[in-house]
């Protein structure tokens, strides 16, 4: 299979997690009804089928898809309404803080003039 320039090495992500948390590959394999050697092969490959990765996510209670998503550019769109709501809430908070900042600057300027 030809690899693109933007590939994210999911095998390395899995391998790093397994190494960091000292996960037994045989036990993980048993948890997802596969052999330990299969887990080793997943860590050596640069890509993993999403169905298998989902099984691993549930077995380890870890969201590898979030790790993958975090490696994508921030300007990529998302369809999840919940996440869009969070983005709009962030935008509202930023706008509110910018407005507060303007008011505080005006008050500060006024106080400085009164002191002089």
């Amino acid at each position: 299979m030809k690899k693109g320039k933007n590939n994210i090495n999911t095998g390395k992500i899995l391998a790093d997690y397994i190494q960091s948390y000292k996960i037994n590959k045989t036990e993980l394999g048993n948890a997802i009804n596969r052999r330990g050697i299969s887990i080793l092969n997943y860590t050596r490959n640069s890509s993993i089928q999403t169905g298998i990765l989902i099984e691993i996510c549930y077995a380890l209670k870890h969201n590898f898809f979030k790790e993958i998503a975090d490696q994508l550019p921030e300007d990529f769109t998302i369809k999840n309404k919940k996440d869009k709501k969070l983005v709009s809430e962030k935008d509202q908070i930023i706008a509110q803080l910018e407005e507060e900042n303007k008011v505080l600057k005006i008050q500060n300027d006024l106080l400085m003039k009164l002191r002089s």
Side-chain angles (χ1 to χ4, degrees):
M1 178 168 81
K2 189 174 180 181
K3 304 290 179 194
K5 65 177 181 168
N6 295 318
N7 278 358
I8 295 173
N9 190 333
T10 52
K12 181 173 177 0
I13 292 171
L14 178 60
D16 290 347
Y17 184 88
I18 287 172
Q19 183 179 8
S20 293
Y21 291 92
K22 297 176 178 38
I23 306 293
N24 183 297
K25 292 176 190 72
T26 302
E27 289 176 10
L28 176 56
N30 291 338
I32 64 169
N33 297 318
R34 288 182 172 69
R35 298 181 0 224
I37 192 73
S38 296
I39 303 300
L40 180 62
N41 288 333
Y42 299 148
T43 63
R44 290 180 177 170
N45 290 331
S46 62
S47 64
I48 301 171
Q49 292 180 13
T50 56
I52 294 168
L53 190 56
I54 288 171
E55 291 179 33
I56 293 171
C57 287
Y58 277 97
L60 297 176
K61 296 184 179 181
H62 180 76
N63 189 345
F64 290 101
F65 291 94
K66 175 80 168 95
E67 280 193 54
I68 294 166
D70 287 346
Q71 292 185 34
L72 295 171
E74 286 186 25
D75 64 335
F76 278 23
T77 60
I78 54 173
K79 189 174 180 179
N80 188 331
K81 290 180 183 178
K82 179 181 173 186
D83 289 340
K84 284 186 178 180
K85 182 180 176 187
L86 289 175
V87 170
S88 65
E89 285 176 8
K90 284 182 184 177
D91 290 340
Q92 289 174 354
I93 291 169
I94 290 170
Q96 180 184 0
L97 290 171
E98 286 174 342
E99 187 61 33
E100 275 184 43
N101 195 25
K102 285 180 190 176
V103 170
L104 290 172
K105 283 182 179 180
I106 291 169
Q107 288 176 346
N108 188 41
D109 289 343
L110 184 60
L111 284 171
M112 295 302 283
K113 286 180 183 177
L114 289 174
R115 284 183 111 187
S116 314

